[in-house]
């Protein structure tokens, strides 16, 4: 099975990311109604909680959509079989910043409505932020090596 | 960069075109153009050897060092 290039695993993942983006965007648009329905379903929270969830979930959703769109750009370059471009370095750094913003939002949520999932999400995105920053640097070095190699005649 | 590739001057002296030289030394015209226009980061000994052989010159005729304050 091909990992990169056309009709490969990375191309399939690219479509999966696109599907996740559509679902995420739909959820974000319908958030006021979905949230109300979910809260009534689990008989949880008050009107104050509803407003807080609404305020915190919109930026969280937007950050997640942003991360997905940057990931999609990276997978597009994998399909073209040349991932070592400066655009991917920028994508990884942007994803790290978005993950950092998500960490801050989860910390705010911990102080208002704390759940086990909030703590877990915080740790997941904290690790994701660190990994993205480090991978961004590694990618930059790889791009420089590749350019040096390409310009060695 | 402080190293200047003087290939165009030697090529003009030998009256040889870029395409002809690229065919003779076995590298693409695009790569030879990169070398000729000083855009290359490095040059392989094998490439230098082939150029010197075909143009009947020394490496010093092709590569010139010019002191440059700016890095």
């Amino acid at each position: 099975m091909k990992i990169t290039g056309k009709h490969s695993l990375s191309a399939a993942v690219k479509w999966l990311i696109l599907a996740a983006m559509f679902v995420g965007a739909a959820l974000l648009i319908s958030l006021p109604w979905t949230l109300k329905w979910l809260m009534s379903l689990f008989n949880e929270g008050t009107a104050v909680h509803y407003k807080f969830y609404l305020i915190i979930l919109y930026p969280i959703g937007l950050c997640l959509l942003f991360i997905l769109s940057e990931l999609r750009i990276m997978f597009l370059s994998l399909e073209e079989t040349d991932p070592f471009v400066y655009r991917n370095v920028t994508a990884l750094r942007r994803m790290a910043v978005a993950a950092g913003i998500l960490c801050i939002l989860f910390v705010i949520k911990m102080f208002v409505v704390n759940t086990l999932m909030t703590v877990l999400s915080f740790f997941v995105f904290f690790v994701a932020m660190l990994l993205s920053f480090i991978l961004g640097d590694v990618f930059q070095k790889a791009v420089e090596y590749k350019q040096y190699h390409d310009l060695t005649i | 960069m402080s190293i200047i590739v003087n290939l165009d001057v030697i090529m003009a002296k030998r009256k040889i075109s870029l395409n002809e030289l690229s065919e003779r030394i076995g590298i693409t015209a695009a790569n030879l153009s990169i070398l000729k226009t000083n855009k290359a980061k490095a040059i392989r000994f094998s490439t230098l050897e082939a150029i010197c052989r075909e143009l009947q010159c020394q490496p010093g005729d092709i590569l010139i060092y010019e002191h440059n304050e700016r890095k």
Side-chain angles (χ1 to χ4, degrees):
Chain A
M1 189 187 190
K2 268 171 75 181
I3 305 292
T4 58
K6 296 221 181 287
H7 311 293
S8 64
L9 184 66
S10 64
V13 174
K14 188 197 78 185
W15 286 107
L16 203 70
I17 291 169
L18 192 69
M21 279 176 77
F22 272 113
V23 172
L27 275 173
L28 212 59
I29 292 164
S30 65
L31 192 63
W33 303 280
T34 321
L35 188 62
K36 207 171 262 180
W37 175 68
L38 277 171
M39 284 176 87
S40 66
L41 195 71
F42 294 105
N43 215 1
E44 200 178 272
T46 60
V48 181
H49 278 133
Y50 173 77
K51 274 183 186 167
F52 172 73
Y53 276 132
L54 214 56
I55 290 165
I56 203 94
L57 284 177
Y58 266 118
I60 286 174
L62 285 172
C63 282
L64 286 172
L65 275 180
F66 180 74
I67 289 175
L68 283 174
S69 71
E70 291 295 321
L71 257 180
R72 194 172 166 270
I73 288 166
M74 284 191 76
F75 275 88
L76 272 171
S77 70
L78 272 176
E79 204 178 351
E80 289 154 14
T81 62
D82 185 20
F84 299 111
V85 288
Y86 273 114
R87 181 63 187 87
N88 283 349
V89 178
T90 317
L92 279 164
R93 284 185 180 153
R94 283 180 181 172
M95 278 195 279
V97 172
I101 294 168
L102 280 171
C103 284
I104 295 165
L105 289 168
F106 283 123
V107 168
I108 294 168
K109 193 177 175 289
M110 269 187 233
F111 282 109
V112 183
V113 192
N114 196 14
T115 58
L116 182 65
M117 270 309 288
T118 310
V119 180
L120 281 175
S121 302
F122 168 78
F123 278 109
V124 165
F125 283 103
F126 186 70
V127 172
M129 178 187 72
L130 295 176
L131 277 177
S132 296
F133 260 127
I134 293 164
L135 269 177
D137 202 56
V138 171
F139 251 72
Q140 189 177 6
K141 282 194 173 74
V143 172
E144 282 165 7
Y145 279 129
K146 190 181 175 290
Q147 275 191 348
Y148 197 88
H149 179 264
D150 287 347
L151 290 173
T152 298
I153 311 296
Chain B
M1 198 181 257
S2 301
I3 300 288
I4 311 286
V5 181
N6 211 18
L7 192 61
D8 46 356
V9 177
I10 307 293
M11 279 168 69
K13 276 183 187 169
R14 300 288 185 273
K15 292 188 175 78
I16 187 168
S17 72
L18 186 95
N19 285 325
E20 196 186 337
L21 184 63
S22 70
E23 271 174 32
R24 281 209 223 162
I25 62 175
I27 66 167
T28 63
N31 275 344
L32 195 60
S33 174
I34 289 170
L35 192 64
K36 202 179 123 184
T37 51
N38 276 300
K39 285 175 188 159
K41 295 257 186 194
I43 182 166
R44 289 191 185 90
F45 278 149
S46 56
T47 311
L48 192 60
E49 185 191 330
I51 292 171
C52 289
R53 186 187 63 231
E54 292 303 325
L55 297 179
Q56 292 177 339
C57 63
Q58 292 299 312
D61 299 329
I62 298 164
L63 303 174
I64 294 164
Y65 173 74
E66 265 183 19
H67 185 68
N68 193 353
E69 285 295 321
R70 280 191 306 167
K71 281 207 170 178

